[in-house]
Amino acid sequence: MKRRLILLGAGVLTLAAPSLHAATPRRLSLRHAHTGARFDGPWHDGTAPDPGAMAELSAVLADSAAIRPRAFDAEALAILCDLAEAARLPGPLVVRSGYRTPAINAAVHGAGDSQHLRAGAIDLEVAPARVQQVAGLARGLARGGVGVYPRRGFVHLDSGPVRHWNGDVPGGAVAAPVEDRIGRIAAAWRAQGGGR
């Protein structure tokens, strides 16, 4: 009887052991549309985010007016990775907006409680023919917020409460793309001595 328990216990350990090493590293390849900053490599070891990669991603995903990038939310990056995989989006992914400083957020008429302000949102550029499909896949993840902007060619993803919206104004004028306005605002800010 004791012998069977020992063998059974060894079998359980053998079966459980592979799951301890089943974590798959996660990679990201992305480029910030406005700044041109890039990241290409592993960011998560399958168990936890890599601190060095997270620091680099935080810098890449910050707007150009950010003197000190805010630590980017790992859950927002996980949502981005899961969506890119589900939609089979080729890399590098093009991010129009990530972390926004309060000044930039106000200048682009972002929501006062925008997830961009806490470094928990990504505006992902998507080919116009695929915007609705990608937004639908994002909503299907049922994680965070999803905004669809078909006329402007991007999908907003964030790690806040689950919700979704259509960001284009029906029948109204479409505002300049966020990255264009951020670029103009950041250039004016730097010209006035900002960032010193």
Side-chain angles (χ1 to χ4, degrees):
M1 183 73 155
K2 286 183 182 179
R3 181 184 229 179
R4 285 187 190 162
L5 289 175
I6 291 170
L7 291 175
L8 180 60
V12 169
L13 288 176
T14 301
L15 292 174
S19 68
L20 296 175
H21 302 289
T24 304
R26 304 199 74 184
R27 297 182 58 84
L28 263 175
S29 178
L30 56 83
R31 174 178 59 85
H32 195 292
H34 171 63
T35 67
R38 294 176 178 266
F39 178 89
D40 189 353
W43 71 279
H44 197 287
D45 68 8
T47 304
D50 175 85
M54 288 301 296
E56 190 176 339
L57 280 161
S58 296
V60 168
L61 292 168
D63 73 40
S64 58
I67 297 168
R68 286 183 213 97
R70 185 166 177 176
F72 213 83
D73 182 38
E75 178 58 19
L77 293 172
I79 292 168
L80 175 65
C81 280
D82 291 345
L83 176 62
E85 185 178 317
R88 295 187 175 149
L89 296 174
L93 303 172
V94 178
V95 174
R96 291 189 176 187
S97 185
Y99 167 65
R100 291 185 200 149
T101 59
I104 292 293
N105 192 63
V108 300
H109 308 291
D113 60 348
S114 173
Q115 298 293 321
H116 287 283
L117 292 169
R118 66 171 195 81
I122 294 168
D123 290 343
L124 177 65
E125 187 171 291
V126 179
R130 295 201 61 201
V131 170
Q132 294 293 350
Q133 177 207 18
V134 171
L137 289 167
R139 284 190 298 270
L141 294 174
R143 291 162 55 202
V146 178
V148 59
Y149 296 80
R151 288 197 219 160
R152 294 185 256 174
F154 72 91
V155 175
H156 168 99
L157 307 167
D158 70 53
S159 58
V162 175
R163 66 218 186 284
H164 59 89
W165 63 93
N166 184 335
D168 283 339
V169 180
V174 176
V178 169
E179 74 275 12
D180 293 345
R181 288 185 281 156
I182 288 174
R184 288 194 305 269
I185 294 162
W189 180 75
R190 283 192 303 274
Q192 295 173 359
R196 291 185 190 163

